[in-house]
Every structure is written in structure tokens, then in C-alpha cells.
Amino acid sequence: MSTLENDEKKTPELKEHFLSWQHLCLKKEWILRLNQEEQISDCICLICKQIANYPVEINCSQHQHLDEPLIVGEHCLKQYLNQNSNYCPIETHKDCQYARNKLAQRSIHKLQVICPLQFEQESRISDQVQAKRINCNFNGKIDELKDHLENLCPLRLSPCWFKPFGCNHNGLKHELEQHLISNMQFHFNLVIKSFQTLQQTMQSLQEESKKLQVQNEKLILEVQLKKLKEEENITLSKEYSNKIIIEIEELKKCMKHQLKQRQILETENQKMKEAIQSIEKNKQTNEQELFKLCDSSKIQITASKKEGQISFQLHPNHNSKQPQDDQNFLQLCSLYKRDEQMEYNFDLFCSSSKLINTFTGHTDT
């Protein structure tokens, strides 16, 4: 069995204590190595019976009648509450109330202790073996332990240089060199395996990158085509809009011209109507005067209207003895014929007039 396999099967007790000493309660035997019982009597955790690390005092209203301080380690209390549905460890009730005890914290941090890794090493091996191993001679206060364990302790576990490649060895610093020498082939295989994995990953990423690039190019092309289509639609829409505007303007001009022509025609038509009304009025007046004259002159006349012509005849029984009456009669006949001639001249004008303008409908939008 190789040295590496032996190292991996060892239980890393020193490492566990190195990582957990800041949170778990402190071992009573370790603290009593350099301190008296009286110094730690008020710092005992009620849950684990060890020295409370980061001590808190339980101050629930249900047990305010108790005189002694109820000190527990903060980590122990939280672990207990999680495992017991938040029931108080002193009495059976929920919603346990607690607060940091700064006085107890200061008292604990001033205690003198030896290195906890040295204490664990001494408790696991015999004195003869202990003499052959590296020892830690730390002797100081608890609040100085963090800096010592992280930077100065010779018993601190160090990871293998090839940990990023998969080696899980953890050991003391003086053992690291021997580990590296005795496991060179193993480390080399880890590096080759890691390199091959990295190559596969890079190849996979390159293929994925190519696919993404193709998809990206397609997407860019689709976006460009869509943009061109939108621009083309916008251009066509503008051209169509401009065409519609031009046609509307032309229609407006045409409508204005037609309205103007219509007004002119209406004006002329109104004048014609007025002229016709005047002719009709004069005709009626002349007819009335003619009949009055006939009545006053005792002249009997017959008027007939055939094929647009009007003729006046004296009655056969009429004997004209007064030339003045005949002259008046002829004068009235001439006035009447003049009115008839004016009326029929208007009809002649309508039939012989020339085309002025022709109104046409729309030929486009």
C-alpha cells in the first residue's frame, strides 16, 4: 500500500479541530491544563458541559426566577434549537430568548492555553512517539489562537501542491516534501488527466462556440432582412402617402374649379330665369292691355296658336269705321308678337348653344 493511500485513510482529526475550534465549545480538559477550576466555573455550557465558546445567556421570561446565570455556547444552542423544534433547553417552551454575555466572553478569551493541535497530538500518541515528532510550544491567551493556527503553528495541516489537479492529501508541512517525492507518478498522472479533461472541455467549448456563432450570424441576417423589409415598407408607405397627397391636392383644385364653374352657371341660370320671368310678366301685361283695348273699342278678335306661330284675325262681323281703333289693334298685335319672338329666341339659344365644360367622375383613388 502506497504512502498516499495510507495518508488518505487516516482520519484528519487535527484538521477537524483546527477548523472547528472557533465555533464549537472548548474542551474542558484542554482549558484545565493551564487554568484552575474556579476560573472556568461560570463559563460551563449547560448543554455540552464544556467551556462555552462565544457564550450567550438564556433570558426567557419563563425562568426568570432562577438565580444562577444560564450560560451556553452559541453554536451549541443553535444546534440544539434546530434539532428540538426551537424548544428551550432549560424548560419545555418555544421561542427561546438569549443574548451575548460579553463579561463571560472576556473572561474566556483571557485564559492561558497551549496549542489545541499539540493537545490533540499528545492525547493520541505515547510520550516516546511524541518525543520523535514535531511539537508546538505555543502558550498564550485564547484570543491569540487564531493568528497562531493560521500562520505560525508547525502542526497546521497543509494541502498538497497538486490539490487543484485532484490530490486530497493534507499533512504537516515537514511531511509535504516526502509526500511530493513518493507520489511523483501519481501527481503526473493527475496532471495528464486534468490536461486531457481540459482539452476535451476546450474542444466542446469550441464546437459550442461555432454553433453559437452560426446561430448568431443567422440571427443577425434575419434582423437585417427584417430591418430592410421595414425600411422598404416605410419607403413604399411614404411614396404611397405622397402620391395620395398629390392626388388629394389635384382633387381639391379640380373641385375648386368645378365649384367656380358651377357658381358661374348658377349665376347665368339665375339671370336667364329673371329674364324669362320678365318676359312672361310683359306678355301677361300686353295681353291684358290688348283685351282692355278690344273691350273699349268694341273690336272682336280671334287669336290662334299653331306650330309655334301666333296669328290675330278680326272677326268677320267687324266693320272698322274708326281707323284709330285699327291702328291701336295692330300696335298691340306687334307688341304681343315681339314678346312671343323673345320667348322663342331663348329656345333657339338653348338648341344652338355650344358645349362649355363637361364634368367627369373620378378615374383613380
Side-chain angles (χ1 to χ4, degrees), residues 228-258:
L228 289 174
K229 189 174 180 180
E230 290 177 352
E231 291 177 354
E232 184 180 357
N233 291 335
I234 291 173
T235 304
L236 292 174
S237 177
K238 286 183 178 179
E239 292 178 355
Y240 183 75
S241 299
N242 293 334
K243 184 178 178 181
I244 293 297
I245 292 172
I246 292 172
E247 291 181 355
I248 290 174
E249 292 297 327
E250 291 179 353
L251 287 174
K252 285 182 179 179
K253 292 180 181 179
C254 183
M255 289 179 65
K256 286 182 180 179
H257 179 72
Q258 291 177 356

Short mmCIF file of all heavy atoms in Angstrom, two decimals, residues 228-258:
data_model
loop_
_atom_site.label_atom_id
_atom_site.label_comp_id
_atom_site.label_asym_id
_atom_site.label_seq_id
_atom_site.Cartn_x
_atom_site.Cartn_y
_atom_site.Cartn_z
N LEU A 228 -34.43 45.70 -43.34
CA LEU A 228 -34.55 46.15 -44.72
C LEU A 228 -36.01 46.13 -45.18
O LEU A 228 -36.47 47.05 -45.88
CB LEU A 228 -33.70 45.25 -45.63
CG LEU A 228 -32.18 45.42 -45.51
CD1 LEU A 228 -31.48 44.36 -46.35
CD2 LEU A 228 -31.74 46.82 -45.93
N LYS A 229 -36.73 45.07 -44.79
CA LYS A 229 -38.13 44.98 -45.16
C LYS A 229 -38.94 46.11 -44.53
O LYS A 229 -39.80 46.71 -45.19
CB LYS A 229 -38.68 43.62 -44.71
CG LYS A 229 -40.07 43.33 -45.24
CD LYS A 229 -40.49 41.92 -44.89
CE LYS A 229 -41.88 41.61 -45.42
NZ LYS A 229 -42.31 40.24 -45.09
N GLU A 230 -38.65 46.41 -43.28
CA GLU A 230 -39.35 47.50 -42.61
C GLU A 230 -39.03 48.83 -43.29
O GLU A 230 -39.92 49.66 -43.50
CB GLU A 230 -38.95 47.54 -41.13
CG GLU A 230 -39.51 46.37 -40.32
CD GLU A 230 -39.04 46.42 -38.88
OE1 GLU A 230 -38.18 47.27 -38.57
OE2 GLU A 230 -39.53 45.59 -38.07
N GLU A 231 -37.73 49.02 -43.65
CA GLU A 231 -37.35 50.26 -44.32
C GLU A 231 -38.02 50.36 -45.69
O GLU A 231 -38.48 51.43 -46.10
CB GLU A 231 -35.83 50.32 -44.48
CG GLU A 231 -35.09 50.51 -43.15
CD GLU A 231 -33.58 50.49 -43.34
OE1 GLU A 231 -33.14 50.21 -44.47
OE2 GLU A 231 -32.86 50.77 -42.36
N GLU A 232 -38.08 49.20 -46.40
CA GLU A 232 -38.76 49.19 -47.70
C GLU A 232 -40.24 49.51 -47.56
O GLU A 232 -40.80 50.29 -48.34
CB GLU A 232 -38.57 47.83 -48.35
CG GLU A 232 -39.15 47.74 -49.76
CD GLU A 232 -38.93 46.37 -50.38
OE1 GLU A 232 -38.27 45.53 -49.73
OE2 GLU A 232 -39.42 46.16 -51.49
N ASN A 233 -40.86 48.91 -46.55
CA ASN A 233 -42.28 49.19 -46.30
C ASN A 233 -42.49 50.66 -45.96
O ASN A 233 -43.46 51.28 -46.39
CB ASN A 233 -42.80 48.30 -45.18
CG ASN A 233 -42.88 46.84 -45.59
OD1 ASN A 233 -43.00 46.54 -46.77
ND2 ASN A 233 -42.81 45.94 -44.62
N ILE A 234 -41.55 51.19 -45.17
CA ILE A 234 -41.66 52.61 -44.80
C ILE A 234 -41.53 53.48 -46.03
O ILE A 234 -42.27 54.46 -46.22
CB ILE A 234 -40.59 52.96 -43.75
CG1 ILE A 234 -40.91 52.27 -42.42
CG2 ILE A 234 -40.52 54.47 -43.54
CD1 ILE A 234 -39.83 52.41 -41.38
N THR A 235 -40.55 53.12 -46.94
CA THR A 235 -40.35 53.90 -48.17
C THR A 235 -41.58 53.84 -49.05
O THR A 235 -42.06 54.86 -49.57
CB THR A 235 -39.12 53.36 -48.93
OG1 THR A 235 -37.97 53.40 -48.06
CG2 THR A 235 -38.86 54.20 -50.16
N LEU A 236 -42.10 52.60 -49.24
CA LEU A 236 -43.31 52.44 -50.05
C LEU A 236 -44.48 53.20 -49.44
O LEU A 236 -45.27 53.83 -50.15
CB LEU A 236 -43.67 50.96 -50.19
CG LEU A 236 -42.68 50.12 -51.03
CD1 LEU A 236 -43.08 48.65 -50.96
CD2 LEU A 236 -42.64 50.60 -52.47
N SER A 237 -44.57 53.14 -48.14
CA SER A 237 -45.65 53.83 -47.46
C SER A 237 -45.52 55.34 -47.66
O SER A 237 -46.51 56.04 -47.89
CB SER A 237 -45.62 53.48 -45.97
OG SER A 237 -46.61 54.18 -45.28
N LYS A 238 -44.28 55.85 -47.60
CA LYS A 238 -44.07 57.28 -47.81
C LYS A 238 -44.43 57.67 -49.24
O LYS A 238 -45.09 58.70 -49.48
CB LYS A 238 -42.62 57.64 -47.51
CG LYS A 238 -42.29 57.63 -46.02
CD LYS A 238 -40.85 58.06 -45.80
CE LYS A 238 -40.53 58.10 -44.31
NZ LYS A 238 -39.11 58.49 -44.08
N GLU A 239 -43.96 56.82 -50.21
CA GLU A 239 -44.28 57.12 -51.61
C GLU A 239 -45.78 57.09 -51.85
O GLU A 239 -46.34 57.96 -52.53
CB GLU A 239 -43.58 56.11 -52.51
CG GLU A 239 -42.06 56.24 -52.51
CD GLU A 239 -41.40 55.18 -53.38
OE1 GLU A 239 -42.13 54.30 -53.88
OE2 GLU A 239 -40.16 55.24 -53.55
N TYR A 240 -46.44 56.07 -51.29
CA TYR A 240 -47.89 55.98 -51.46
C TYR A 240 -48.60 57.17 -50.81
O TYR A 240 -49.53 57.74 -51.37
CB TYR A 240 -48.37 54.67 -50.85
CG TYR A 240 -49.84 54.41 -51.03
CD1 TYR A 240 -50.35 54.01 -52.25
CD2 TYR A 240 -50.71 54.56 -49.96
CE1 TYR A 240 -51.71 53.78 -52.43
CE2 TYR A 240 -52.07 54.32 -50.12
CZ TYR A 240 -52.55 53.92 -51.36
OH TYR A 240 -53.87 53.70 -51.52
N SER A 241 -48.08 57.54 -49.62
CA SER A 241 -48.67 58.69 -48.92
C SER A 241 -48.49 59.96 -49.73
O SER A 241 -49.41 60.78 -49.86
CB SER A 241 -48.03 58.84 -47.54
OG SER A 241 -48.26 57.70 -46.74
N ASN A 242 -47.27 60.13 -50.31
CA ASN A 242 -47.03 61.32 -51.14
C ASN A 242 -47.94 61.34 -52.36
O ASN A 242 -48.46 62.39 -52.76
CB ASN A 242 -45.56 61.36 -51.56
CG ASN A 242 -44.63 61.58 -50.38
OD1 ASN A 242 -45.01 62.17 -49.38
ND2 ASN A 242 -43.39 61.11 -50.49
N LYS A 243 -48.12 60.15 -52.97
CA LYS A 243 -49.00 60.05 -54.13
C LYS A 243 -50.44 60.41 -53.76
O LYS A 243 -51.11 61.14 -54.49
CB LYS A 243 -48.94 58.63 -54.69
CG LYS A 243 -49.74 58.45 -55.97
CD LYS A 243 -49.59 57.02 -56.48
CE LYS A 243 -50.43 56.82 -57.75
NZ LYS A 243 -50.32 55.42 -58.26
N ILE A 244 -50.88 59.89 -52.63
CA ILE A 244 -52.24 60.20 -52.17
C ILE A 244 -52.39 61.70 -51.91
O ILE A 244 -53.40 62.32 -52.27
CB ILE A 244 -52.56 59.40 -50.88
CG1 ILE A 244 -52.62 57.90 -51.18
CG2 ILE A 244 -53.88 59.87 -50.27
CD1 ILE A 244 -53.71 57.49 -52.12
N ILE A 245 -51.35 62.28 -51.30
CA ILE A 245 -51.40 63.73 -51.01
C ILE A 245 -51.49 64.54 -52.30
O ILE A 245 -52.27 65.50 -52.40
CB ILE A 245 -50.17 64.14 -50.18
CG1 ILE A 245 -50.25 63.51 -48.78
CG2 ILE A 245 -50.07 65.65 -50.07
CD1 ILE A 245 -49.01 63.70 -47.95
N ILE A 246 -50.68 64.14 -53.31
CA ILE A 246 -50.71 64.84 -54.59
C ILE A 246 -52.08 64.73 -55.24
O ILE A 246 -52.65 65.71 -55.75
CB ILE A 246 -49.61 64.29 -55.52
CG1 ILE A 246 -48.23 64.64 -54.96
CG2 ILE A 246 -49.77 64.84 -56.93
CD1 ILE A 246 -47.09 63.97 -55.69
N GLU A 247 -52.65 63.49 -55.21
CA GLU A 247 -53.97 63.29 -55.80
C GLU A 247 -55.04 64.10 -55.06
O GLU A 247 -55.95 64.65 -55.68
CB GLU A 247 -54.32 61.81 -55.79
CG GLU A 247 -53.47 60.98 -56.74
CD GLU A 247 -53.86 59.52 -56.73
OE1 GLU A 247 -54.73 59.16 -55.91
OE2 GLU A 247 -53.32 58.75 -57.54
N ILE A 248 -54.89 64.16 -53.75
CA ILE A 248 -55.86 64.94 -52.96
C ILE A 248 -55.78 66.41 -53.33
O ILE A 248 -56.80 67.10 -53.48
CB ILE A 248 -55.62 64.72 -51.46
CG1 ILE A 248 -56.02 63.30 -51.06
CG2 ILE A 248 -56.39 65.73 -50.63
CD1 ILE A 248 -55.68 62.94 -49.64
N GLU A 249 -54.53 66.92 -53.49
CA GLU A 249 -54.36 68.32 -53.86
C GLU A 249 -54.96 68.58 -55.24
O GLU A 249 -55.61 69.62 -55.47
CB GLU A 249 -52.87 68.68 -53.85
CG GLU A 249 -52.23 68.67 -52.48
CD GLU A 249 -52.86 69.72 -51.56
OE1 GLU A 249 -53.28 70.77 -52.06
OE2 GLU A 249 -52.95 69.45 -50.35
N GLU A 250 -54.73 67.63 -56.18
CA GLU A 250 -55.31 67.80 -57.52
C GLU A 250 -56.83 67.78 -57.46
O GLU A 250 -57.50 68.57 -58.15
CB GLU A 250 -54.81 66.69 -58.44
CG GLU A 250 -53.32 66.81 -58.77
CD GLU A 250 -52.83 65.67 -59.66
OE1 GLU A 250 -53.65 64.74 -59.88
OE2 GLU A 250 -51.68 65.71 -60.09
N LEU A 251 -57.37 66.85 -56.63
CA LEU A 251 -58.83 66.81 -56.48
C LEU A 251 -59.37 68.11 -55.88
O LEU A 251 -60.43 68.59 -56.27
CB LEU A 251 -59.23 65.61 -55.62
CG LEU A 251 -59.11 64.24 -56.27
CD1 LEU A 251 -59.38 63.15 -55.26
CD2 LEU A 251 -60.06 64.11 -57.44
N LYS A 252 -58.63 68.66 -54.93
CA LYS A 252 -59.05 69.93 -54.33
C LYS A 252 -59.11 71.03 -55.39
O LYS A 252 -60.06 71.82 -55.45
CB LYS A 252 -58.09 70.30 -53.21
CG LYS A 252 -58.26 69.50 -51.94
CD LYS A 252 -57.30 69.99 -50.87
CE LYS A 252 -57.48 69.21 -49.58
NZ LYS A 252 -56.54 69.66 -48.52
N LYS A 253 -58.02 71.09 -56.24
CA LYS A 253 -58.00 72.10 -57.28
C LYS A 253 -59.16 71.91 -58.25
O LYS A 253 -59.82 72.87 -58.66
CB LYS A 253 -56.67 72.03 -58.03
CG LYS A 253 -55.48 72.46 -57.20
CD LYS A 253 -54.18 72.35 -58.01
CE LYS A 253 -52.97 72.75 -57.17
NZ LYS A 253 -51.71 72.62 -57.94
N CYS A 254 -59.37 70.61 -58.65
CA CYS A 254 -60.46 70.31 -59.58
C CYS A 254 -61.82 70.69 -58.98
O CYS A 254 -62.67 71.27 -59.65
CB CYS A 254 -60.42 68.84 -59.94
SG CYS A 254 -61.67 68.35 -61.17
N MET A 255 -61.98 70.36 -57.68
CA MET A 255 -63.25 70.70 -57.03
C MET A 255 -63.45 72.20 -56.94
O MET A 255 -64.56 72.71 -57.14
CB MET A 255 -63.28 70.07 -55.63
CG MET A 255 -63.43 68.56 -55.63
SD MET A 255 -63.41 67.86 -53.97
CE MET A 255 -64.92 68.57 -53.32
N LYS A 256 -62.36 72.92 -56.66
CA LYS A 256 -62.46 74.39 -56.61
C LYS A 256 -62.88 74.94 -57.98
O LYS A 256 -63.73 75.83 -58.10
CB LYS A 256 -61.13 74.97 -56.18
CG LYS A 256 -60.83 74.79 -54.72
CD LYS A 256 -59.50 75.44 -54.36
CE LYS A 256 -59.19 75.25 -52.87
NZ LYS A 256 -57.88 75.86 -52.51
N HIS A 257 -62.24 74.39 -59.06
CA HIS A 257 -62.57 74.84 -60.41
C HIS A 257 -64.02 74.52 -60.75
O HIS A 257 -64.75 75.35 -61.32
CB HIS A 257 -61.61 74.17 -61.40
CG HIS A 257 -61.89 74.55 -62.83
ND1 HIS A 257 -61.60 75.81 -63.33
CD2 HIS A 257 -62.43 73.84 -63.86
CE1 HIS A 257 -61.95 75.86 -64.61
NE2 HIS A 257 -62.45 74.67 -64.95
N GLN A 258 -64.44 73.29 -60.40
CA GLN A 258 -65.81 72.89 -60.67
C GLN A 258 -66.82 73.74 -59.90
O GLN A 258 -67.87 74.11 -60.41
CB GLN A 258 -66.00 71.41 -60.37
CG GLN A 258 -65.26 70.49 -61.33
CD GLN A 258 -65.41 69.03 -60.96
OE1 GLN A 258 -66.02 68.71 -59.95
NE2 GLN A 258 -64.87 68.15 -61.80
#
